[in-house]
Amino acid sequence: MGVFTSLDDPSSTGHEQVVFCQDTQTGLRAIIGIYSTALGPALGGTRFYPYASEEAALADVLDLSRGMAYKNALAGLDLGGGKAVIWGDPDQLKSEPLLRAYGRFVESLNGRYYTACDVGTYVADMDVIARETRFVTGRSVEHGGAGDSSVLTAWGVFQGMRAAAEHVWGAPTLNGRRVGVAGLGKVGKHLTRHLLDDHAEVVATDVDPRAREWVRANHPQVELVDDAAALVAADIDVYAPCALGGALDDDTVPALRAKVVAGAANNQLAHPGIEKLLADRGILYAPDYVVNAGGVIQVADEIEGFNFERARLRATRIYDTTRQILRLADDEGVPPAVAADRLAERRMAEVGRLRTIHLR
């Protein structure tokens, strides 16, 4: 088997454990980050992406695993936060041997980390990984899994968006609002359907011409724009980043015309302080790890034996959680992202403390 090493001092980043995995024969280079197991085993997807450098891959896994800890806490799950990245182009590198090698590394952590789908990995990949490890979710229905987790991710984003709309405009609906969807991948497509069913006007973009063609063929009423910059500058009420992170930065926020930001992408704030810049401009930000938790709720449900209606009900409660956070932000005079962090940290501390009560 390949090389398996650890970050010298994961506590310097706030993480419990960071491991580097390498198998030269398959070309596997992966990093698994475990931020916290205070609430239970760490759960988070595996991202397969051609990072510019190992440093970029490490930075991403550290940010994503921390976000998963907060997401799982606010989703009410008894699970900690973790994430993994496989460094490389999935179109060129992905293979059965590579995925199975990766599964062996996951298994070696003996249940401290459960993996699932993310950017560049799919349900079929999880079925392959599961041939080498017990600690994988997001599997196919044929293998007892939940199937495509983007279904409930999009449903949860829609619920969070409804709560944000109610907070700003007084009614929990997007009816008559113009919503800009940046990214028409697995989640963006489902979200677009929910928005159209709610009688919203949708403006969208995607870097992939195949995604744009899908929209033209299936939803010709959707207005397409050239790129994310054009979408940000468009006359929209809600901006929904649904691609990669860092969508809200020092250039984007001043140009943004929307009154609400609520989308599926992880780590939307490019750096600390962006949440205050949004608040200063009167833009309501529904924290990404709150509204996009539907997918992790779906795959987490597999651990106890998947039931779609139970998982869907849990994802629907994202509406209530988002309302609670927005009210808390108003009451405490802080941006919603700060209020969400405080609520997540409180649960991790209060519930995590119970593990110090030892049972015979």
Side-chain angles (χ1 to χ4, degrees), residues 169 177-181 201-204 230-240 256-260:
W169 297 298
R177 302 294 172 189
R178 280 174 61 83
V179 181
V181 178
E201 296 179 38
V202 178
V203 187
L231 188 63
V232 165
D235 183 16
I236 54 176
D237 299 302
V238 180
Y239 178 49
L256 191 60
R257 300 175 67 181
K259 289 295 183 184
V260 169

Side-chain angles (χ1 to χ4, degrees), residues 158 174 189-203 214-215 218-223:
F158 178 61
L174 283 306
K189 290 177 180 178
H190 291 299
L191 179 60
T192 296
R193 292 191 189 100
H194 293 316
L195 291 167
L196 293 174
D197 288 344
D198 198 30
H199 306 290
E201 296 179 38
V202 178
V203 187
W214 177 89
V215 170
N218 291 276
H219 302 295
Q221 69 271 48
V222 172
E223 178 185 341

